[in-house]
């Protein structure tokens, strides 16, 4: 690409090796979650939330289980101020939920912030100022000492206003644009703020290290976090928080590695809504933990309902392939994937106590409110016999023989390919019935009776071209006798009769289902299915269906010749 020379690495590695995080295999417990949907997320919307929409969104976050929720920047606008006052005055904040507000390190903004917080039972006051090289040089044109003074003076003002405001307050500081700041300088400014606030076991302080703009690979951020964690003053009384954005598409990776490196708290949003490419997606992070057997301490058991409220309020659309929440993330169209998934589910039926390890499906969709029907296996021209057969079995109770599944799979794929569309399960069922079930043309089965001596003798009543006749046949079993009667009467030759039967376990439980496959002289298998309350009737109907498919496919004279003699 052109102009690549204008770009360089604008981040800073720690001055010493910080790689202890790399020796850890996985995250063992959930972090403290702080939703910033109502601040970062809201300011990123084309049309920001109204007051009533904010109140509804706040309740959604409470219902999910967030214990810390950033509700806005109350000094920034009257809408933000009014929202915070509504939460406090209408007593909408549960006792176990702490609200968080954002403020710049400027006295009139800090004063307005605490005015808005009056009467809050407990709140986090989030103080920030920008510290990066780019911000210092281009925006503020200030020295490092000038930037430190902004942070320290703000920390003192927050302390002063908290002391004279009703309520209980936790202090939080962010060196905004941390990822573009020299790590030693970020440490110095955070420690200077900690020196002001003097955290204790009873009054801990939050130091938040944001990926305001993502500049590096995730492992660099992890090393930065580890260095800060190892060198912060009064570390045992500091809650180390991270706030990743997603400019490079690595927000989730940044977060997970940062947790390994000493992070204890994450600020993010539902489905990653936020400025530019967004904040880190808490849904993905939480369910990633869940997939490793770690309780995320958030309730995402009904993702579809959460998604519906989110999309309605934000006017945003979650991408169909978005992890966990997207409509297609559990869906397989590929034939080989469908076959593996179907066999995986079948295996779980016999091993219900085993850990989840179904191929291609990272967690059980049912655990987050998704359905197997329409969510897991969907059918188009790329699908295979395994997935198509699985859907037919799961939804309608038809367990086709393997070779019949293959034959049916080709039929379904041909329809999908010809019509250039995905097929719904009802359409697949219609193809199955039309292709195989109780076929009565051109040879219609009416009745039968048997006589048993050394062999079975059948007397079979049939109709063809509106003409009724009774034919006879002998065989070593009843179905064999009927088969011989048909072959003799109509001069049909086939071999290798395959037979299978089972009770229909879905729908009408009184029905029996039979499948018959017969191989013609050219080696082609023709299949039929029979459904009836009586198992013998179902078997005979399956045989007639297979024979009718054979005579139609081979263009036997009885198909087109209405004068074909029955006598």
């Amino acid at each position: 690409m052109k102009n690549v020379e204008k770009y360089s690495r604008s981040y800073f590695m720690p001055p010493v090796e910080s790689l202890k995080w790399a020796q850890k295999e996985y995250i063992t417990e959930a972090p403290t979650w702080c939703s910033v949907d109502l601040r970062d997320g809201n300011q990123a919307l084309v049309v920001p939330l109204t007051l009533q929409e904010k109140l509804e969104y706040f309740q959604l976050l409470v219902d999910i289980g967030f214990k810390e929720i950033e509700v806005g920047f109350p000094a920034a606008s009257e809408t933000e101020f009014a929202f915070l006052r509504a939460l406090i005055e209408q007593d909408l904040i549960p006792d176990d939920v702490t609200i968080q507000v954002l403020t710049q390190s400027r006295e009139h903004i800090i004063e307005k912030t605490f005015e808005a917080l009056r009467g809050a039972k407990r709140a986090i006051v989030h103080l920030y100022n920008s510290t990066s090289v780019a911000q210092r040089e281009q925006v503020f044109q200030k020295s490092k000492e000038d930037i430190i003074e902004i942070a320290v003076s703000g920390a003192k003002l927050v302390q002063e206003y908290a002391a004279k405001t009703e309520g209980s307050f936790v202090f939080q500081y962010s060196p905004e644009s941390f990822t573009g700041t020299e790590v030693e300088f970020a440490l110095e400014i955070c420690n200077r703020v900690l020196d002001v606030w003097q955290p204790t076991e009873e009054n801990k302080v939050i130091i938040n290290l944001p990926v305001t703009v993502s500049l590096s690979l995730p492992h660099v951020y992890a090393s930065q976090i580890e260095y800060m964690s190892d060198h912060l003053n009064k570390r045992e009384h500091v809650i180390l928080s991270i706030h990743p954005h997603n400019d490079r598409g690595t927000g989730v990776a940044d977060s997970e590695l940062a947790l390994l490196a000493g992070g204890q708290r994450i600020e993010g949003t539902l489905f990653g809504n936020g400025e530019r490419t967004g904040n880190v997606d808490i849904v993905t992070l939480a369910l990633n933990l869940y997939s490793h057997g770690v309780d995320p301490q958030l309730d995402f058991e009904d993702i579809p309902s959460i998604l519906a409220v989110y999309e309605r309020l934000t006017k945003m659309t979650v991408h169909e392939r978005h992890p966990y929440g997207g409509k297609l993330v559990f869906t397989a169209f590929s034939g080989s994937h469908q076959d593996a998934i179907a066999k995986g589910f079948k295996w779980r039926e016999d091993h219900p106590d085993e850990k989840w390890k179904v191929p291609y499906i990272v967690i059980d969709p049912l655990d987050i409110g998704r359905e197997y029907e329409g969510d897991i296996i969907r059918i188009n021209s790329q699908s295979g016999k395994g997935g198509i057969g699985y859907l037919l079995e799961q939804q309608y109770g038809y367990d086709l023989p393997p070779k019949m599944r293959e034959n049916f799979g080709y039929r379904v794929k041909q329809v999908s390919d010809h019509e250039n569309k995905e097929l719904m399960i009802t359409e697949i069922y219609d193809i199955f019935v039309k292709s195989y079930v109780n076929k009565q043309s051109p040879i219609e089965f009416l009745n039968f009776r048997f006589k048993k001596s050394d062999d079975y003798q059948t007397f079979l009543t049939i109709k063809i071209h509106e003409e009724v006749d009774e034919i006879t046949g002998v065989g070593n079993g009843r179905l064999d006798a009927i088969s011989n009667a048909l072959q003799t009467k109509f001069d049909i030759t086939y071999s290798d009769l395959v037979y299978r039967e089972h009770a229909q376990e879905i729908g009408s439980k009184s029905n029996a289902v039979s499948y018959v496959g017969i191989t013609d002289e050219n080696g082609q298998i023709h299949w039929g299915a029979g459904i009836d309350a009586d198992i013998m009737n179902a078997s005979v109907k399956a045989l007639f269906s297979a024979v009718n498919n054979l005579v139609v496919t081979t263009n036997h004279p009885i198909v087109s010749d209405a004068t074909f003699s029955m006598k």
Side-chain angles (χ1 to χ4, degrees):
M1 289 178 63
K2 295 180 180 179
N3 302 320
V4 68
E5 68 277 357
K6 79 163 61 171
Y7 301 103
S8 64
R9 291 175 290 280
S10 53
Y11 56 85
F12 300 89
M13 287 294 289
V16 298
E17 184 179 273
S18 300
L19 292 173
K20 294 191 297 292
W21 60 268
Q23 308 305 313
K24 300 177 183 177
E25 180 184 352
Y26 56 90
I27 300 163
T28 58
E29 61 182 2
T32 299
W33 304 104
C34 178
S35 161
V36 294
D37 290 81
L38 294 169
R39 199 267 298 174
D40 263 24
N42 184 55
Q43 73 183 21
L45 297 176
V46 175
V47 180
L49 301 173
T50 65
L51 176 60
Q52 284 305 121
E53 287 172 335
K54 283 187 173 185
L55 291 172
E56 183 179 353
Y57 204 119
F58 179 82
Q59 187 58 53
L60 172 67
L61 296 171
V62 170
D63 292 342
I64 290 170
F66 285 97
K67 301 305 180 187
E68 296 182 3
I69 302 172
E70 188 165 82
V71 296
F73 195 147
S77 71
E78 285 306 310
T79 302
E80 298 277 284
F81 189 95
F83 172 53
L84 178 52
R85 292 312 307 161
L87 289 174
I88 295 170
E89 292 169 5
Q90 296 178 36
D91 196 23
L92 298 176
I93 307 168
D95 291 340
D96 63 345
V97 172
T98 302
I99 57 171
Q100 178 172 302
V101 293
L102 188 68
T103 178
Q104 292 175 333
S105 186
R106 301 166 67 184
E107 183 165 10
H108 71 284
I109 293 177
I110 293 171
E111 181 180 17
K112 185 77 170 179
T113 299
F114 277 95
E115 180 184 343
L117 284 170
R118 188 179 66 256
K121 297 173 185 175
R122 179 177 169 85
I124 298 168
V125 180
H126 182 183
L127 174 74
Y128 78 96
N129 68 301
S130 293
T131 61
S132 69
V133 174
Q135 293 272 7
R136 297 196 314 261
E137 291 178 349
Q138 301 170 38
V139 180
F140 299 107
Q141 298 179 355
K142 291 183 178 295
S143 68
K144 289 182 178 179
E145 280 304 318
D146 292 333
I147 297 299
I148 290 174
E149 178 54 32
I150 292 172
V152 169
S153 63
K156 291 177 180 177
L157 287 168
V158 164
Q159 216 171 27
E160 291 172 12
Y161 278 94
K164 56 188 179 184
T165 304
E166 175 190 359
S168 174
F169 303 105
V170 176
F171 301 149
Q172 173 172 322
Y173 174 70
S174 288
E176 193 207 5
S177 58
F178 165 76
T179 47
T181 304
E182 307 92 332
V183 184
E184 302 98 313
F185 179 56
L187 177 66
E188 180 181 3
I189 198 168
C190 289
N191 279 337
R192 292 284 291 274
V193 169
L194 289 172
D195 288 343
V196 174
W197 284 342
Q198 290 295 310
T200 65
E201 183 62 31
E202 294 74 27
N203 294 290
K204 291 187 176 182
V205 163
I206 301 170
I207 293 294
N208 186 59
L209 302 175
V211 182
T212 308
V213 180
S214 179
L215 301 174
S216 70
L217 274 65
H219 77 284
V220 173
Y221 182 57
S223 293
Q224 293 168 338
I225 295 298
E226 183 176 297
Y227 177 80
M228 295 291 288
S229 179
D230 286 346
H231 294 88
L232 284 170
N233 290 346
K234 299 183 179 294
R235 177 65 182 90
E236 70 275 17
H237 305 318
V238 172
I239 299 167
L240 187 55
S241 176
I242 60 176
H243 179 113
H245 283 250
N246 199 41
D247 304 84
R248 291 168 49 89
T250 58
V252 169
D254 287 338
S255 300
E256 292 182 329
L257 296 190
L259 290 176
L260 293 178
Q264 300 160 286
R265 178 180 185 267
I266 289 181
E267 296 186 346
T269 59
L270 298 180
F271 305 110
N273 176 43
E275 291 192 84
R276 307 182 308 278
T277 56
N279 287 57
V280 69
D281 174 17
I282 286 182
V283 177
T284 299
L285 284 172
L287 292 177
N288 281 355
L289 285 174
Y290 182 74
S291 73
H292 284 174
V294 176
D295 186 350
Q297 303 296 315
L298 293 174
D299 183 359
F300 291 119
E301 293 182 6
D302 190 359
I303 283 286
S305 295
I306 294 171
L307 189 65
V309 175
Y310 170 84
E311 292 188 333
R312 174 171 55 82
L313 294 178
T314 66
K315 315 300 188 295
M316 303 276 285
T317 300
V318 173
H319 193 276
E320 291 173 329
R321 298 294 183 187
H322 192 99
Y324 302 107
K327 293 180 176 63
L328 295 179
V329 295
F330 294 108
T331 301
F333 290 104
S334 161
S336 61
H337 288 202
Q338 291 177 345
D339 184 61
I341 291 168
K343 288 174 179 174
F345 279 112
K346 194 74 173 177
W347 186 87
R348 280 197 63 79
E349 292 177 8
D350 299 326
H351 304 82
D353 298 326
E354 291 284 340
K355 298 289 187 181
W356 180 267
K357 49 187 174 184
V358 171
Y360 300 111
I361 307 292
V362 67
I363 65 172
D364 189 343
L366 295 181
D367 289 339
I368 58 173
R370 302 292 294 270
E371 299 292 337
Y372 291 157
E373 178 184 357
D375 271 348
I376 305 299
I377 292 175
R378 289 166 58 173
I379 303 304
N380 63 17
S381 61
Q382 304 302 307
S383 302
K385 64 183 184 298
I388 295 168
Y390 174 78
L391 284 182
L392 197 65
E393 181 179 0
Q394 291 298 307
Q395 299 304 316
Y396 295 101
Y398 298 120
D399 185 11
L400 278 58
K403 287 290 185 181
M404 187 179 184
R405 283 196 180 205
E406 183 175 346
N407 182 273
F408 179 48
Y410 283 125
R411 288 176 183 260
V412 171
K413 290 168 67 173
Q414 286 171 357
V415 173
S416 177
D417 194 32
H418 178 73
E419 298 184 7
N420 194 29
K421 70 170 190 175
E422 177 189 352
L423 297 180
M424 299 297 101
I425 182 60
T426 52
E427 295 175 290
I428 295 168
Y429 174 72
D430 289 343
I431 295 170
F432 171 70
V433 171
K434 182 179 179 181
S435 299
Y436 305 107
V437 177
N438 295 357
K439 301 197 74 170
Q440 299 275 54
S441 177
I443 308 171
E444 182 178 352
F445 160 65
L446 298 178
N447 205 346
F448 64 83
R449 58 190 176 88
F450 291 104
K451 181 179 179 182
K452 178 70 170 70
S453 55
D454 291 337
D455 293 313
Y456 283 91
Q457 183 178 15
T458 184
F459 301 88
L460 186 64
T461 307
I462 61 173
K463 180 194 288 187
I464 181 169
H465 302 312
E466 301 303 321
E467 188 176 351
V468 177
D469 192 16
E470 183 176 82
I471 62 177
T472 63
V474 177
N476 56 21
R478 290 183 291 182
L479 195 63
D480 185 53
I482 292 174
S483 175
N484 290 336
L486 290 171
Q487 291 188 76
T488 300
K489 175 63 181 178
F490 297 110
D491 192 22
I492 303 170
T493 300
Y494 56 79
S495 60
D496 299 329
L497 189 148
V498 177
Y499 174 74
R500 181 174 179 177
E501 66 182 45
H502 64 77
Q504 188 177 11
E505 297 179 355
I506 296 176
S508 175
K509 294 187 178 180
S510 61
N511 276 343
V513 183
S514 294
Y515 311 98
V516 168
I518 53 178
T519 303
D520 65 23
E521 294 176 304
N522 296 316
Q524 182 177 354
I525 305 177
H526 304 269
W527 290 95
I531 302 173
D532 196 276
D534 177 79
I535 186 59
M536 190 62 215
N537 281 343
S539 303
V540 174
K541 288 178 178 180
L543 176 60
F544 267 75
S545 297
V547 170
N548 278 320
N549 277 334
L550 183 152
V551 298
V552 169
T553 302
T554 59
N555 197 27
H556 189 281
I558 62 174
V559 175
S560 56
D561 187 358
T563 65
F564 184 86
S565 176
M566 292 278 288
K567 303 301 183 183

